[in-house]
């Protein structure tokens, strides 16, 4: 919400659309949305530029649903770019056709065309989000998804008086696609963002902020649920509210054991729900977001701010800033993530796979390829198990479903072909990095343990990995090289956090487990758009089961042509 003059901002809590939808009958309903992709001129930080938007809004509209609903979103593309939308964190059981990543489950929606995403919201409730899944268009094409529990099902925590969506993002002064193309031609990382944003606005620490500061009005004594999304392309972010504690109650639409913290850490792709009590002296308090980076790499280190404003306090009162962790505070990051645990209650059990059918070990690396036309004669690339992923020309799910040969191979290795001291002295060699569209085939209903190991090829760095179509349990994490003998003994197999996007710590490893009970082709990639573009991605082919409801659904009519 913009702050201007001396007017007191009206609350945007419980948006009109949400109030309208909760008055519908209790039985499962069909929620229909129209997304018009259009270019619109937007001004931020004293600069104006055309951006790609949904329905002319930045951030885009929120999708509201009740657990059990069917959701249909018709997307019409009026922009010059091809488009696809991913519904991040929705499991899309047997229905990869609605998942949305371009050239993985569909070809993109071409200019002037439409495609209807049709999916059921089953067995999930909480905060997720949607975003463009092609090029770097999710820089401005994104919005929240709010899934309410079935009627009569209470939250497993104190019922809030009101709710607020808080979407964190990034902003560039100039056209993002031009910046990326320039970086690609030079073989260098594109320019970092010029600011971070809170609900599309950077706040008063930036110029021309009078109309570009988000504020939420609160009343003393009331409890607020903040639904926080990190929609930034390339930065993990700290978030805090001056003078107020937050109680974490959910991540990635899965309830957690509540714990109190002064700040949260949220990686690109992740969501976090927190309770905040308006229990301080009435005033104006900054909410703030700033990057976490504990590797020797440049980031946009500026702080985005919004205002947590008590009712009746004039805008002339200066807000106070929160004490955010230091930008390289590794200890806070590790401690915070260690506090995240599944609720594991009778109503919300943590069904951690205890027996593992398939063990995978993937190394995460950066490297260089020869590039005679680039600045240094090389181009940066990224790889998993020393394979840099090559995007196909048609959707992998279509190729799999229709048995189209020559599109991909299913020989992605279960472990690196050349073991080495992964986090030791920096290595600048590529170790013979291969390029290819290589997938890993997984048997239906098998249990999988995947260890993601950061490496010091060029440099160590943290990587938030997102697995489409699944939640997984984060059973272990550590710094240094994973020890397959000693480290599994330290796994949490009782109440590990369950989520869809997890950070691999800088110079460390993370172990996840999941049951492969969703047939189809499912993308897995680093959610730093920079790294995804360099090839830090792969996909799983989960085979059909033998039961009637254990195979991929037939494709819908009107799939976008390739």
């Amino acid at each position: 919400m913009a702050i201007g003059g001396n007017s007191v901002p009206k609350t945007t809590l419980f948006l009109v659309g949400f109030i309208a939808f909760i008055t519908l009958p209790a039985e499962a309903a069909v929620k229909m949305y129209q997304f018009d992709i259009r270019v619109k001129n937007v001004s931020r930080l004293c600069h104006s530029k055309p951006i790609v938007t949904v329905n002319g809004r930045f951030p885009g509209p929120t999708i509201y649903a009740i657990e059990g609903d069917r959701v249909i979103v018709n997307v019409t593309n009026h922009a010059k770019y091809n488009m696809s939308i991913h519904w991040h964190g929705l499991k899309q059981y047997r229905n990869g056709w609605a998942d949305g990543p371009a050239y993985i489950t569909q070809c993109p929606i071409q200019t002037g065309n439409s495609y209807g995403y049709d999916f059921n919201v089953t067995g999930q409730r909480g905060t997720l989000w949607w975003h463009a899944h092609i090029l770097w268009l999710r820089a401005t094409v994104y919005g929240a998804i709010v899934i309410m529990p079935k009627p009569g099902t209470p939250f497993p925590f104190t019922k809030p008086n009101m709710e607020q969506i808080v979407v964190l993002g990034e902003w560039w002064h100039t056209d993002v696609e031009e910046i990326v193309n320039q970086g690609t031609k030079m073989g260098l990382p594109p320019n970092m963002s010029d600011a971070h944003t809170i609900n599309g606005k950077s706040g008063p620490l930036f110029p021309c902020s009078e109309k570009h500061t988000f504020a939420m009005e609160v009343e003393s004594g009331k409890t607020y649920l903040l639904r926080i999304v990190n929609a930034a392309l390339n930065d993990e972010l700290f978030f805090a509210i001056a003078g107020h504690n937050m109680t974490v109650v959910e991540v990635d639409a899965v309830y957690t054991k509540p714990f109190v913290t002064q700040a949260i850490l949220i990686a690109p792709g992740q969501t976090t729900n927190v309770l905040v009590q308006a229990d301080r002296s009435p005033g104006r308090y900054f909410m703030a977001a700033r990057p976490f980076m504990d590797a020797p790499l440049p980031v946009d280190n500026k702080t985005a701010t919004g205002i947590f404003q008590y009712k009746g306090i004039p805008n002339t009162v200066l807000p106070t800033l929160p004490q955010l962790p230091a930008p390289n505070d590794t200890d806070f990051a590790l401690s915070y993530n260690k506090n995240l645990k599944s609720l594991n209650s009778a109503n919300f059990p943590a069904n951690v796979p205890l027996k593992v059918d398939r063990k995978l070990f993937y190394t995460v690396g950066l490297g260089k390829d020869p590039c005679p036309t680039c600045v240094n004669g090389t181009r940066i690339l990224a790889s998993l198990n020393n394979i840099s992923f090559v995007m196909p020309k048609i959707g992998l799910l279509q190729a799999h479903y229709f048995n189209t040969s020559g599109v991909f191979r299913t020989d992605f290795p279960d472990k690196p072909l050349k073991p080495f001291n992964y986090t030791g002295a920096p290595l600048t060699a590529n170790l013979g990095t291969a390029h290819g569209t290589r997938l890993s085939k997984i048997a239906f209903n098998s249990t999988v343990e995947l260890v993601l190991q950061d490496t010091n090829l060029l440099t160590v760095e943290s990587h938030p990995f997102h697995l489409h179509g699944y939640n997984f349990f984060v059973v272990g994490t550590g710094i240094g090289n994973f020890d397959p003998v000693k480290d599994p003994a330290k796994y949490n197999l009782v109440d590990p956090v369950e989520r869809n996007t997890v950070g691999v710590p800088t110079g460390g490893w993370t172990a996840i487990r999941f049951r492969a009970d969703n047939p189809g082709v499912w993308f897995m990639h680093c959610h730093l758009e920079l790294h995804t573009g360099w090839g830090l991605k792969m996909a799983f082919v989960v085979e059909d089961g033998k039961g009637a409801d254990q195979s991929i659904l037939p494709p819908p009519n009107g799939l976008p042509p390739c």
Side-chain angles (χ1 to χ4, degrees), residues 277-479:
Q277 291 184 321
D279 58 0
R280 296 297 187 263
S281 298
R284 302 175 79 222
Y285 299 84
F286 272 133
M287 55 180 74
R290 185 177 67 192
F292 162 64
M293 171 57 73
D294 60 352
L297 297 168
V299 293
D300 168 16
N301 227 359
K302 305 178 190 75
T303 302
T305 53
I307 300 177
F308 194 77
Q309 178 157 340
Y310 282 70
K311 186 175 182 179
I313 301 299
N315 292 344
T316 53
V317 175
L318 293 177
T320 54
L321 272 169
Q323 186 68 38
L324 288 165
N328 62 348
D329 194 339
T330 304
D331 289 342
F332 177 91
L334 294 174
S335 174
Y336 176 83
N337 285 323
K338 190 175 181 180
N339 282 330
L340 291 171
K341 296 181 179 180
S342 289
L343 191 59
N344 195 21
S345 65
N347 292 328
F348 304 102
N351 296 316
V352 187
L354 300 180
K355 175 181 171 293
V356 175
D357 299 317
R358 182 88 170 268
K359 289 191 175 183
L360 308 174
F361 183 82
Y362 291 176
T363 53
V364 184
L366 302 177
K368 294 180 179 181
D369 253 5
C371 176
T373 61
C374 294
V375 172
N376 298 317
T378 58
R379 174 180 287 130
I380 300 176
L381 81 162
S383 63
L384 284 168
N385 278 357
N386 226 34
I387 298 170
S388 191
F389 192 84
V390 176
M391 294 296 286
K393 302 298 184 183
I394 70 169
L396 293 177
L397 179 61
Q398 292 170 264
H400 170 61
Y401 187 85
F402 292 109
N403 293 315
T404 306
S405 61
V407 177
F408 64 87
R409 292 158 49 180
T410 56
D411 61 348
F412 191 91
D414 285 4
K415 59 184 179 180
L417 300 181
K418 296 180 180 179
F420 60 98
N421 183 2
Y422 306 115
T423 56
L427 295 174
T428 56
N430 279 0
L431 302 179
T433 302
H435 299 73
T437 311
R438 298 168 65 177
L439 281 58
S440 178
K441 184 176 286 189
I442 306 291
F444 180 81
N445 211 38
S446 61
T447 53
V448 179
E449 178 179 302
L450 167 60
V451 176
L452 291 159
Q453 171 73 61
D454 188 31
T455 66
N456 205 1
L457 290 168
L458 291 189
T459 181
V460 290
E461 187 176 352
S462 62
H463 302 273
F465 270 87
H466 172 47
L467 175 59
H468 289 227
Y470 287 90
N471 280 356
F472 49 74
F473 292 96
V474 185
V475 296
T477 190
I479 300 299

Side-chain angles (χ1 to χ4, degrees), residues 106-167:
Q106 65 169 93
C107 289
I109 306 164
Q110 298 176 13
T111 303
N113 291 351
S114 298
Y115 178 60
Y117 292 94
D118 187 344
F119 52 87
N120 295 320
V121 180
T122 305
Q124 293 181 275
R125 82 292 306 160
T127 306
L128 296 171
W129 67 301
W130 58 265
H131 59 83
H133 211 300
I134 183 170
L135 304 173
W136 279 40
L137 294 178
R138 73 176 174 92
T140 57
V141 180
Y142 59 79
I145 301 173
V146 174
I147 307 168
M148 296 300 291
K150 292 179 180 179
T153 304
F155 293 131
F157 48 79
T158 302
K159 183 180 179 181
N161 297 103
M162 292 182 180
E163 303 185 5
Q164 176 64 59
I165 294 168
V166 177
V167 185

Side-chain angles (χ1 to χ4, degrees), residues 92-111:
Q92 306 285 14
Y93 185 67
R94 303 171 57 210
N95 187 30
W97 311 107
D99 191 41
Y103 300 108
I104 304 298
T105 60
Q106 65 169 93
C107 289
I109 306 164
Q110 298 176 13
T111 303

Side-chain angles (χ1 to χ4, degrees), residues 221-270:
K222 291 191 174 180
T223 301
Y224 296 82
L225 179 70
L226 303 190
R227 298 178 179 271
I228 305 168
V229 179
N230 186 353
L233 270 75
N234 294 307
D235 289 333
E236 295 184 75
L237 297 169
F238 293 120
F239 176 86
I241 304 172
H244 294 74
N245 289 329
M246 295 176 287
T247 302
V248 177
V249 294
E250 176 200 305
V251 296
D252 293 2
V254 180
Y255 297 132
T256 62
K257 286 184 170 67
F259 70 94
V260 177
T261 182
Q262 291 184 321
I264 68 166
L265 176 62
I266 183 167
Q270 293 181 338

